[in-house]
Amino acid sequence: YHDGLDDGIVDKAKANRFLSEIKDTFDAANLLLAYYALIDDKDEKKAYDYLLSFAKEEEKEDDELLKSQENVDIEKLEDEETKQYLLTSRKGVEAVKRGIQAYEEKDYETSFKEFNLSAIDYEMTEGSAWVTISYLVGAGVEKDLDKVKAMIQEVLFVDIL
């Protein structure tokens, strides 16, 4: 959020206020808020809350994607690219759901494995969000705030562009 001058100075307070206002309609705002919480405020709890909100919004989108595919017989599709996309997205969502279940059961090793599978093998943004949360809290992996910051930037780049 620039102050209108071409001096490269960013008004972080205004940026935080603006992002807080739009976070319910633009879920990537939660990623920026998480990043600012870590960088500026050094507030891991606040960063966790924003990342969790982002992950939950992604979960809603993934559920809508699956719902839209309910009546599609993938095996009968002729377009191989569409067929592959639908199979991959289903597997990615299933991996995230297994990861969330394991996370809730405090089986963090399994949850991280499933989230990572979803993020890397199936390129699911929700999986990436949960991997980022895992690094933030040290769930199934060593806590690494530098990795969290880098992953937020990476997810932002993919999600926005």
Side-chain angles (χ1 to χ4, degrees):
Y1 198 97
H2 292 278
D3 54 11
L5 303 174
D6 192 21
D7 57 8
I9 296 173
V10 175
D11 185 332
K12 291 179 182 173
K14 280 185 181 178
N16 274 320
R17 281 194 305 275
F18 174 72
L19 291 168
S20 293
E21 290 173 11
I22 67 166
K23 69 183 173 65
D24 293 331
T25 56
F26 180 59
D27 64 335
N30 281 303
L31 290 175
L32 286 168
L33 288 164
Y35 188 77
Y36 291 150
L38 287 174
I39 299 294
D40 296 334
D41 303 334
K42 310 286 190 251
D43 189 336
E44 293 174 28
K45 170 69 172 104
K46 194 187 297 184
Y48 174 85
D49 291 341
Y50 288 128
L51 286 170
L52 188 59
S53 291
F54 177 76
K56 289 184 181 290
E57 285 303 313
E58 288 297 315
E59 180 180 22
K60 287 179 193 173
E61 290 176 21
D62 290 345
D63 287 345
E64 287 174 20
L65 175 68
L66 287 183
K67 187 174 181 158
S68 72
Q69 298 175 16
E70 282 177 351
N71 299 320
V72 176
D73 186 351
I74 295 175
E75 296 306 320
K76 290 184 179 178
L77 292 174
E78 292 181 20
D79 181 39
E80 201 57 41
E81 191 173 318
T82 301
K83 188 180 200 178
Q84 201 56 42
Y85 169 76
L86 294 177
L87 286 170
T88 299
S89 62
R90 283 184 183 180
K91 289 178 181 178
V93 171
E94 289 167 1
V96 170
K97 292 197 180 299
R98 289 191 305 270
I100 291 171
Q101 182 177 351
Y103 190 88
E104 289 171 349
E105 294 170 356
K106 299 188 182 341
D107 181 357
Y108 299 123
E109 206 170 293
T110 299
S111 68
F112 183 77
K113 183 180 116 194
E114 294 293 343
F115 295 146
N116 212 37
L117 175 72
S118 176
I120 293 174
D121 290 5
Y122 302 118
E123 299 177 355
M124 301 297 292
T125 303
E126 183 185 0
S128 296
W130 279 103
V131 168
T132 306
I133 289 169
S134 297
Y135 276 108
L136 177 65
V137 299
V141 67
E142 188 174 327
K143 183 175 180 171
D144 186 340
L145 296 182
D146 290 331
K147 181 93 169 165
V148 171
K149 294 170 198 171
M151 290 187 74
I152 290 172
Q153 290 177 328
E154 185 178 317
V155 172
L156 266 172
F157 179 76
V158 169
D159 197 57
I160 291 176
L161 301 176

